[in-house]
Amino acid sequence: KKAETGQSTMNIISPLSQLAHSLRQAYVEDQRSHILNRGRSILLNTDYHNTVRVGTFVPDDGDCPADSSGKSTPLASLDADRMTTLFAFHQCSVSTTVQQIIDLCRDTLDVAASTSSSPSPANDAGEDNLDSLPPMLYRTSRELLDLFRAIVPTLHASEVGSIPRTAAVLHNDCVYLAHESSLLGAEYKSKFRSFESSMESPPEGKGNKAKLLGEVCTFVDMVPPFRDLATKSMGFMIELQKGQLYELISPRLANFQQALASNESVSEWDDAETALRAALYHLRHLSQAWTPVLSRNVYHMSMGNLVDLVFTLFLDPVWKAEDITETASRFIHTLFLDMARGAAEMFLADSGGAAPANHQELSSTENTMQHRFQVAKKFATLFEKSQAMGQFMAMRLSEIHRGLEEGVFRSVTARELSHLISAAFDDSEKRTALLNVLASK
């Protein structure tokens, strides 16, 4: 009878145990589905145009305050913890969507860590009833980031491909997620390991599983895909803006090279001025869209890329001109002076923005402009060459010779300078001597 009773009891308990196990699995899957549905709702329903500032302001080298000798103070001396500065996330604007996704991801990992450390009853086999929940939550936190990568670029594809601000926001979101992915693994590894080490007598198998989760917890593999997406979104937008700048400038400069042989103002010169105004107007609109969103360094690299295209389109006709009259030289001098100043204004410098009311404020405004010129030289590779071109057109042969000694034309090759001298000056002994000097370099 006892044997029959025991067998009968086992026949009852076994189905109940299976039912309990299936309920536990259903609960774990339900938690995963609930979190992913929340993430999907955030991605689909949150207004992607809303942004928030994140990160740490990291100044360019030129932004560091100057010491008594006039040299900028090294960045490391401004921060006691140099490593914090080097690996800081540069201040920019990210969408509230990505911030909510990161918050949900962290909340999910926090629950995984707290569930691992919470004692729970074991079943007959000695297994923790919710033993599979922490690994499932870790997996879910990774899937939240995959959801962002799958939904956002597709959902907002038309805006990302046509609106500069939206492309910049997606770029920042991806860089932000790449930055967070590089840190999340190390942060939560330590939490899982601290739990495992704090357990005095973990249930059989649970300590090993917690230790294993601490070892495999990583998000570093997600960094390259997010960085690639950031590069593609911003890179495509920059190429699009290059195309628009080319359409604004190139048709108006179609006959500019031949017009430089004219002794009086012609319509081609007016077209060149119009092209410059249109290009600078376009760049200002981009600056207004990108300045509040992009980090300072990314903004400067993007703007420098576009400014270089403008310089190239204006420089090429002048380099190729076979004859440049004195009147045309004066026009080019003014044109390139305006172009250099207009391009420098696209680069950021700390300024109050108010009109100068006295000599002190005027001096401050001049210092700000000088700072903009320095930043422009750093990020626009053709900025110095453009300046040199403008200066050349207002110089006599003796001044050009002196400029060579002073390094005014260090950004211009000897061949380019020789061609300009031949085109802008009549044959003379001074011209021949200067050309011989350049030929010897």
Side-chain angles (χ1 to χ4, degrees), residues 396-401 421 425-438:
R396 295 187 292 270
L397 286 172
S398 57
E399 293 172 330
I400 294 172
H401 192 281
I421 292 172
F425 293 93
D426 295 330
D427 190 14
S428 65
E429 292 183 1
K430 284 186 177 181
R431 192 186 83 162
T432 302
L434 186 55
L435 289 175
N436 289 336
V437 171
L438 289 171

Side-chain angles (χ1 to χ4, degrees), residues 376-429:
K377 290 177 182 178
K378 178 180 178 182
F379 290 96
T381 57
L382 296 177
F383 190 84
E384 284 189 282
K385 181 172 283 192
S386 177
Q387 280 188 302
M389 172 70 79
Q391 289 177 280
F392 172 89
M393 292 299 171
M395 288 181 171
R396 295 187 292 270
L397 286 172
S398 57
E399 293 172 330
I400 294 172
H401 192 281
R402 187 163 56 251
L404 280 173
E405 298 173 349
E406 296 173 353
V408 173
F409 302 105
R410 58 181 174 273
S411 59
V412 183
T413 65
R415 183 177 180 181
E416 290 171 336
L417 193 57
S418 296
H419 182 80
L420 280 178
I421 292 172
S422 299
F425 293 93
D426 295 330
D427 190 14
S428 65
E429 292 183 1

Side-chain angles (χ1 to χ4, degrees), residues 242 300-312 315 319 343 347 373-388 410-413 416:
K242 280 185 174 182
H300 281 158
M301 287 191 293
S302 302
M303 192 57 67
N305 202 321
L306 296 176
V307 164
D308 274 342
L309 174 66
V310 176
F311 287 151
T312 299
L315 283 168
W319 292 132
F347 296 89
F373 271 80
Q374 293 301 319
V375 177
K377 290 177 182 178
K378 178 180 178 182
F379 290 96
T381 57
L382 296 177
F383 190 84
E384 284 189 282
K385 181 172 283 192
S386 177
Q387 280 188 302
R410 58 181 174 273
S411 59
V412 183
T413 65
E416 290 171 336

Side-chain angles (χ1 to χ4, degrees), residues 225-259:
F226 280 121
R227 288 198 174 277
D228 288 344
L229 184 55
T231 302
K232 288 178 181 177
S233 62
M234 199 63 192
F236 177 85
M237 180 52 63
I238 290 175
E239 291 303 315
L240 178 65
Q241 297 306 317
K242 280 185 174 182
Q244 293 180 3
L245 284 169
Y246 184 85
E247 291 176 0
L248 287 172
I249 299 172
S250 185
R252 294 184 170 99
L253 297 184
N255 300 313
F256 185 58
Q257 177 182 335
Q258 293 77 14

Side-chain angles (χ1 to χ4, degrees), residues 21 29 41-42 47 126 210 254 282 296 315 328 332 390 395 401 423:
H21 177 74
E29 286 293 337
S41 177
I42 290 171
D47 188 350
H282 187 84
R296 175 167 286 207
L315 283 168
I332 295 173
M395 288 181 171
H401 192 281

Side-chain angles (χ1 to χ4, degrees), residues 2 28 52 69 89 202 225 234 253 261 300 335 353 355 371 401 418 438:
K2 288 183 178 180
V28 171
V52 61
S69 64
F89 182 73
M234 199 63 192
L253 297 184
H300 281 158
L335 183 71
H371 181 210
H401 192 281
S418 296
L438 289 171

